[in-house]
Amino acid sequence: MVSDNFLGNYASVVAARSTDKSILKGAQDGGIVTQLFAYALEEGIIDGAIVAGPGDEPWKPVPVVATTVEELLAARGTKYNISPNMQLIKEATRSYGLDKVGIVGTPCQIQALRKGQLYPVGLRDVPDKIALAVGIFCMENFPYQSIVQLVEDHANTKLENVTKMDIGKGKFWVYTGRGASVQLPLKITHKYEQAGCHVCLDYVSNLADVSTGSVGTPDGWSTVFVRTKNGGDIWAKAIAAGCFETKPMDSVKPGLDLVTKLATEKITKNQKTLAERATFGVGKGLRNPYI
Amino acid sequence: MSNKISVGHVHMSGCTGCLVSFADNYGGLLTILDKYADLVYCLTLADVRHIPEMDVALVEGSVCLQDKTAVEEIKETRERAKIVVALGGCACYGNITRFSRGGQQNQPQHESYLPIGDLIDVDVYIPGCAPTPQMIRNVCVMAYLLLKGNDDQKKLAAEYLKPLMSLAKACTSSCGCDIMDSVINQGLCMGCGSCAASCPTRAITMQYGKPNVDREQCIKCGACVSQCPRSWFSFDVVSQFEGITDAINGAME
Ligand SMILES: Cc1cc2nc3c(=O)[nH]c(=O)nc-3n(C[C@H](O)[C@H](O)[C@H](O)COP(=O)(O)OP(=O)(O)OC[C@H]3O[C@@H](n4cnc5c(N)ncnc54)[C@H](O)[C@@H]3O)c2cc1C
Ligand code: SF4
Ligand code: SF4
Ligand code: SF4
């Protein structure tokens, strides 16, 4: 078990991608999230997963409890705006009747999940029904209107024509169905970020069972941290079942160093923000949630 | 036997739903009573008439100021218990009794209700309406470890209970507005949706990734703001979620 200040505790880290072509088509990166849930669903490890499904406006995610592979497939891809996945964590065990719940979330959502498991205040019976928590890496998120502003104003592209958005290589990329792509320098996007992200001290979903993101591995591949015993068990079974192709992390470029660098940058910057909040006013500060 | 802690359930102006939640640990309740705690007082379940000395008092309900017996009992509870736990939204924050204003037969003068923390010092809060069986279980196991465990266990239990003790120090009123006042207004909300999930009355909906509180529907239980990870979050404890979960599950076997 590695214990890293910035990358959290993990048993192993690999480069991986799904072996299922239909999952890869439409996945953000290596299709890790969708593949892992699809496998867990088919094996009865979970009986449903909370994912960010399509909403009523283009690129606005809505949390859904997916109980079929089709529903998982419909939720592929990164939506760079808030999908409050924890909203359904209790409902999944109520009207949906799930006993083994899967959930994907950004680091903050996985934090919310673990707090809810250890200190369940309004989440009766939820703690023991969490079967698989998949975390995604996250540098920052945006309100929906920020995405409208960035895509429709700055990138001058209609949201309904967009087929993929990606933040990578220092740019915000917008791809359309007709093959066009627009890139915005990240400098432009900063002021549109969700304020609450600026106090976030987790980049690679340190508290998930398995966490994954794009940084560190080539296009079409994902970086995967296997963290908990539960995550390790499920990952090993999925590998044995042929769900994933893997490569050692040190055999790919840019590799773990870049992940560490970005994690360090995010956490250091946000720790500074937290420190500044303490003296934000005159003789008065803003609240620090981390006790 | 002697190595168990003594626990009492004190029923103030509550609905017994908190006690039902405790019982809803099913076999777990029996394990707790077998291994860790003697239930020395509980009018619903046992024939002990007066509040005895106890290690932990689980107090549910708020206090009616116009009911002399109630006021005496909450004071006695403080005198006789080492650790006083406010169990549930009513004891912590007043909850639905915040809306009481008298005028009903046959005690129309029974109009003022306060959470127990306004009359006595409270050590630990277990918020929620109802509080969850799992949280009550966790607090029982941790209280046992704090009082009877080895040094490592004492340390873990103290860390675990710390936020719940801070809540007890912080205040005696709560409502959905806290989500606005102390999370969104403070620039801390990141739109996870935990508050909406934890609200027992579905007073919170998520709109464009942020909670919207229907204040007419809010019963002032305080669950939302307690559950919010940006209300309070302890990396020390939550990062150990795997070990703590294993320890609690192990204790309940
Ligand atoms: C806001 C945000 C910021 C990110 N920042 C980074 C980063 O800085 N570096 C990095 O390496 N990776 C980042 N990622 C993760 C990356 O974009 C991919 O989500 C991840 O690699 C998984 O890809 P996949 O092919 O395995 O998943 P897929 O199989 O495509 O599945 C993606 C899953 O993520 C869920 N999802 C999509 N949008 C959201 C959302 N807004 N909130 C919660 N769940 C969602 C979907 O429902 C789906 O289940 C970010 C993701 C998000 C949502
Ligand atoms: S940056 Fe942090 S707070 Fe913001 S969405 Fe990502 S994980 Fe959540
Ligand atoms: S909004 Fe809901 S959870 Fe929050 S205090 Fe009101 S009733 Fe309780
Ligand atoms: S639980 Fe807290 S951080 Fe999450 S959406 Fe509600 S107010 Fe925001």
Side-chain angles (χ1 to χ4, degrees), chain B:
Chain B
M1 201 52 177
S2 61
N3 208 28
K4 290 200 221 168
I5 58 173
S6 56
V7 173
H9 171 260
V10 180
H11 198 297
M12 304 304 295
S13 287
C15 71
T16 333
C18 297
L19 181 63
V20 171
S21 265
F22 192 13
D24 280 351
N25 279 293
Y26 301 103
L29 173 68
L30 301 179
T31 306
I32 290 172
L33 296 180
D34 256 1
K35 293 194 185 169
Y36 307 113
D38 284 320
L39 191 65
V40 295
Y41 176 74
C42 176
L43 289 178
T44 310
L45 298 174
D47 192 23
V48 177
R49 305 293 174 91
H50 299 289
I51 296 171
E53 300 280 328
M54 49 199 155
D55 291 321
V56 178
L58 300 170
V59 185
E60 83 166 84
S62 61
V63 188
C64 175
L65 300 186
Q66 290 83 25
D67 177 347
K68 253 173 112 177
T69 314
V71 175
E72 269 163 32
E73 280 189 346
I74 194 64
K75 290 183 185 170
E76 277 171 14
T77 300
R78 179 67 277 181
E79 282 157 16
R80 295 180 193 170
K82 284 201 191 96
I83 299 175
V84 172
V85 179
L87 176 61
C90 295
C92 296
Y93 299 120
N95 205 18
I96 198 74
T97 65
R98 285 285 182 196
F99 299 88
S100 302
R101 53 192 174 81
Q104 285 181 323
Q105 294 300 354
N106 60 353
Q107 301 287 351
Q109 79 286 12
H110 280 192
E111 69 175 29
S112 316
Y113 291 77
L114 285 175
I116 64 170
D118 283 335
L119 296 175
I120 61 167
D121 284 329
V122 176
D123 302 299
V124 176
Y125 272 11
I126 303 182
C129 177
T132 63
Q134 293 77 24
M135 182 86 145
I136 305 174
R137 170 199 70 191
N138 293 359
V139 169
C140 283
V141 171
M142 290 298 173
Y144 172 81
L145 294 180
L146 188 71
L147 297 172
K148 306 279 181 185
N150 62 33
D151 285 352
D152 283 348
Q153 291 169 326
K154 280 194 170 114
K155 185 166 163 272
L156 175 70
E159 274 180 18
Y160 177 88
L161 293 169
K162 197 175 145 211
L164 306 177
M165 297 174 122
S166 304
L167 285 181
K169 291 264 172 311
C171 69
T172 57
S173 67
S174 191
C175 86
C177 295
D178 294 349
I179 283 293
M180 300 179 239
D181 301 350
S182 64
V183 187
I184 304 173
N185 295 171
Q186 284 278 336
L188 295 170
C189 175
M190 45 56 183
C192 64
S194 276
C195 50
S198 62
C199 177
T201 66
R202 298 180 197 263
I204 303 180
T205 47
M206 299 300 291
Q207 295 179 4
Y208 288 103
K210 298 286 145 153
N212 183 52
V213 183
D214 180 345
R215 285 169 294 155
E216 282 295 303
Q217 206 167 313
C218 168
I219 55 165
K220 294 178 174 285
C221 71
C224 50
V225 74
S226 300
Q227 194 68 77
C228 169
R230 290 290 171 85
S231 163
W232 52 271
F233 190 87
S234 162
F235 281 103
D236 286 347
V237 177
V238 186
S239 304
Q240 301 182 60
F241 71 94
E242 222 184 339
I244 296 176
T245 306
D246 285 350
I248 290 173
N249 290 342
M252 297 311 292
E253 255 161 31

